[in-house]
């Protein structure tokens, strides 16, 4: 609209200038035509004492001594319209503006002059015209342009807003749908507008791309779930054989290491199966219920009696609205991470934040750099720093936490602990 406003302003000024120039050119052309006719009469020796004219023209014929030798009816026959200096400018082809009072008129006059006659007796022909009607037309045109400019600009702005809004409305609908798809991961598709234009073709192309991505994702989920499920049997068999060997006293020097690796593989398989189940459940959890935070903290405190660092839990009367199993597993994953990386302690507390409940797990370990706090929620992400020296982790724990929180209308976030280390928080809807 700024461009349109500038174009309208330039166009209005150009229109005003062109019409003004054309009006004065027409006036001067008439004056030159009258002067030519009078010059013809002078050269033919037929110049009358009273020069006939049309309209409001005023004509004077001056001799070499600037005396009026002939004039039109409305002209002064004694005093020339132009003074000597003005006459010289007019003879050079430039129009001269003089007050109309010189001939008893109220409006100004525009005078043109030409020289003619024999060289022995040259004369000057003056043609004066009133141009107050042109000035009046200029004022009307100027006021019209100034008054219509904002109105026209407003009308164009409204038209542009309506037209562009109607044109871009399908794009906004596509954007909102794409946001829902990316946020919830469901199988909804972009709306295809009825218009046969680039936006319609874009929607069709993007829907085809989403179909391919969904098919690829389904194949990936199926592969992970099938592979994890098939691995459970041999891992269970290996665990059983290790238990039997220990019971019969047939342990080998590598039995302890083998048990640790089997345990690690079993945990990895369970995590993969958990992610596969979460991926297949695209809708939010429906069986949510009020869950006392105190019960969760009490259960948690009994899980780590022999942990490498003490795990302390606070007291809380708060209640969250979620699936108890989901919150229990997410809190367990965060606490497990804290126990692995803490130097001397892990603390679990809860507090209210507006209409949310925050369950915080604090450890005094090496922490996670701020630049990596979004990336660690991706699957199979393990940092290059001290927190990846973990014999039991596969980079799925925080990914599971985020999926569980998303299903329950909550979120997970990481920050620096007040005394150093990592502050991991679960943010959940507050229950009654």
């Amino acid at each position: 609209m700024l461009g349109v406003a500038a174009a309208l302003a330039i166009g209005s000024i150009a229109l005003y200038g062109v019409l003004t120039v054309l009006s004065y050119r027409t006036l001067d052309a008439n004056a030159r035509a009258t002067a030519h006719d009078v010059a013809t009469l002078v050269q033919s020796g037929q110049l009358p004492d009273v020069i006939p004219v049309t309209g409001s023209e005023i004509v004077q014929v001056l001799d070499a001594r600037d005396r009026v030798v002939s004039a039109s009816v409305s002209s002064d026959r004694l005093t020339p319209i132009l003074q000597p200096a003005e006459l010289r400018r007019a003879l050079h082809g430039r129009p001269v503006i003089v007050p109309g009072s010189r001939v008893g008129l109220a409006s100004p006059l525009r005078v043109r002059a030409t020289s003619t006659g024999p060289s022995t007796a040259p004369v000057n022909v003056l043609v004066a015209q009133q141009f107050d009607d042109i000035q009046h037309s200029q004022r009307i045109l100027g006021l019209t342009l100034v008054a219509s400019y904002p109105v026209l600009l407003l009308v164009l702005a409204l038209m542009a807003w309506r037209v562009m809004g109607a044109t871009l409305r399908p794009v906004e609908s596509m954007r909102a749908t794409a946001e829902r798809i990316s946020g919830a991961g469901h199988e909804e598709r972009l709306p295809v507008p009825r218009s046969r234009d680039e936006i319609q073709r874009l929607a069709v192309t993007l829907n085809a791309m989403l179909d391919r991505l969904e098919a690829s994702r389904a194949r990936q989920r199926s592969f992970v779930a099938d592979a994890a499920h098939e691995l459970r049997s041999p891992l269970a068999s290996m665990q059983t054989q290790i238990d039997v060997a220990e019971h019969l006293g047939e342990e080998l020097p590598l039995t302890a290491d083998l048990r640790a690796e089997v345990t690690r593989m079993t945990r990895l398989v369970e995590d993969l199966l958990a992610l596969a189940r979460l991926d297949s459940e695209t809708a939010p959890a429906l069986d949510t219920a009020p869950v006392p935070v105190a019960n969760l903290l009490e259960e948690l405190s009994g899980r780590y009696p022999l942990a490498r660092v003490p795990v302390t839990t606070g007291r809380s009367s708060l209640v969250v609205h979620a699936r108890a199993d989901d919150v229990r597993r997410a809190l367990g994953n965060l606490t497990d991470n804290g126990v692995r990386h803490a130097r001397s302690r892990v603390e679990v507390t809860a507090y209210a934040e507006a209409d949310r409940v925050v369950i915080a797990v604090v450890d005094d370990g090496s922490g996670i750099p701020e630049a990596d706090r979004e990336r660690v929620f991706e699957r199979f992400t393990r940092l290059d720093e001290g927190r990846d020296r973990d014999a039991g982790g596969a980079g799925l724990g925080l990914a599971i936490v985020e999926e569980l929180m998303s299903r329950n209308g909550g979120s997970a976030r990481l920050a620096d602990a007040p005394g150093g280390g990592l502050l991991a928080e679960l943010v959940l809807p507050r229950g009654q």
Side-chain angles (χ1 to χ4, degrees):
M1 290 312 303
L2 287 176
V4 171
L8 283 177
I10 294 173
S12 299
I13 294 172
L15 175 63
Y16 182 85
V18 168
L19 292 180
T20 300
V21 169
L22 289 177
S23 298
Y24 282 113
R25 281 189 176 180
T26 302
L27 192 68
D28 291 341
N30 293 335
R32 283 192 294 266
T34 301
H36 179 267
D37 293 341
V38 175
T40 302
L41 293 175
V42 171
Q43 291 173 358
S44 63
Q46 299 176 359
L47 181 65
D49 186 50
V50 178
I51 302 173
V53 294
T54 59
S56 60
E57 290 181 331
I58 299 173
V59 180
Q60 285 183 337
V61 179
L62 309 180
D63 61 12
R65 300 174 62 182
D66 293 340
R67 293 177 301 182
V68 179
V69 297
S70 181
S72 59
V73 175
S74 58
S75 176
D76 189 341
R77 301 183 63 84
L78 298 177
T79 305
I81 299 175
L82 297 181
Q83 299 175 358
E86 295 171 341
L87 179 58
R88 286 192 295 270
R89 288 203 308 271
L91 290 175
H92 282 86
R94 289 177 294 185
V96 177
I97 308 299
V98 299
S101 59
R102 293 184 182 181
V103 292
L105 297 175
S107 61
L109 300 174
R110 185 182 179 91
V111 184
R112 306 289 299 205
T114 183
S115 181
T116 186
S119 58
T120 56
V123 295
N124 298 318
V125 180
L126 307 182
V127 180
Q129 293 177 304
Q130 301 180 59
F131 60 96
D132 54 340
D133 55 341
I134 296 180
Q135 291 180 322
H136 181 67
S137 299
Q138 284 180 291
R139 285 194 296 270
I140 293 177
L141 177 61
L143 291 174
T144 302
L145 292 176
V146 171
S148 63
Y149 178 79
V151 176
L152 181 60
L153 192 61
L154 178 61
V155 171
L156 290 176
L158 292 175
M159 291 176 59
W161 180 73
R162 293 283 296 180
V163 172
M164 297 185 70
T167 303
L168 296 179
R169 193 173 296 115
V171 177
E172 172 59 22
S173 178
M174 291 166 58
R175 185 207 62 79
T177 305
E179 186 176 13
R180 290 197 302 270
I181 293 174
S182 62
H186 48 65
E187 298 181 1
E188 186 179 358
R189 290 296 175 261
L190 303 179
V192 179
R194 296 180 179 179
S195 58
R196 296 183 177 273
D197 55 8
E198 292 81 358
I199 297 178
Q200 189 259 358
R201 292 193 292 272
L202 174 63
V204 172
T205 302
L206 291 178
N207 282 337
M209 180 189 69
L210 289 174
D211 290 338
R212 292 192 297 271
L213 289 175
E214 182 62 29
S216 175
R217 186 180 179 186
R219 289 193 298 269
Q220 184 182 29
R221 286 199 304 262
S222 177
F223 171 77
V224 171
D226 293 344
H229 183 76
E230 292 299 325
L231 285 173
R232 297 181 71 181
S233 296
L235 286 173
S237 177
M238 293 171 64
Q239 184 68 47
T240 301
Q241 294 180 38
I242 292 173
D243 292 340
V244 170
E246 289 181 349
H247 181 73
L248 298 177
E250 299 177 355
E251 301 128 283
L252 299 175
L254 298 179
T255 300
D257 294 338
L258 182 60
R259 177 184 289 278
E261 291 299 322
V262 171
T263 301
R264 178 174 177 273
M265 286 291 295
T266 301
R267 186 160 58 245
L268 173 60
V269 168
E270 294 298 329
D271 287 345
L272 289 173
L273 285 174
L275 284 174
R277 285 193 296 270
L278 291 174
D279 286 340
S280 63
E281 299 174 0
T282 56
L286 299 178
D287 53 344
T288 56
V291 181
V293 176
N295 294 350
L296 298 173
L297 297 180
E298 183 179 356
E299 293 176 11
L300 189 69
S301 62
R303 287 180 53 184
Y304 300 93
L306 302 177
R308 55 178 291 271
V309 295
V311 177
T312 59
T313 57
R315 300 189 177 202
S316 176
S317 59
L318 298 171
V319 177
V320 297
H321 195 80
R323 290 183 60 179
D325 290 342
D326 290 349
V327 181
R328 190 177 293 112
R329 175 152 194 174
L331 184 58
N333 282 7
L334 293 184
T335 307
D336 289 344
N337 285 341
V339 170
R340 292 191 194 103
H341 306 296
R343 294 189 178 93
S344 61
R345 62 181 176 82
V346 174
E347 297 179 0
V348 184
T349 57
Y351 64 91
E353 186 179 83
D355 60 342
R356 298 278 178 170
V357 174
V358 180
I359 304 177
V361 179
V362 181
D363 69 70
D364 58 353
S366 58
I368 295 178
E370 184 176 357
D372 295 323
R373 289 175 191 167
E374 294 292 334
R375 188 168 62 90
V376 293
F377 287 104
E378 299 175 3
R379 302 180 184 188
F380 298 103
T381 297
R382 302 181 66 184
L383 302 181
D384 297 331
E385 303 296 334
R387 291 188 75 91
D388 73 339
R389 303 190 190 101
D390 177 14
L396 294 176
L398 292 179
I400 293 176
V401 169
E402 186 176 46
E403 292 288 343
L404 291 172
M405 290 299 98
S406 177
R407 291 185 69 247
N408 288 271
S411 61
R413 61 193 185 193
L414 303 177
D416 291 324
L422 182 67
L423 169 62
E425 294 180 329
L426 303 178
V427 183
L428 289 160
R430 191 170 184 173
Q432 300 295 330

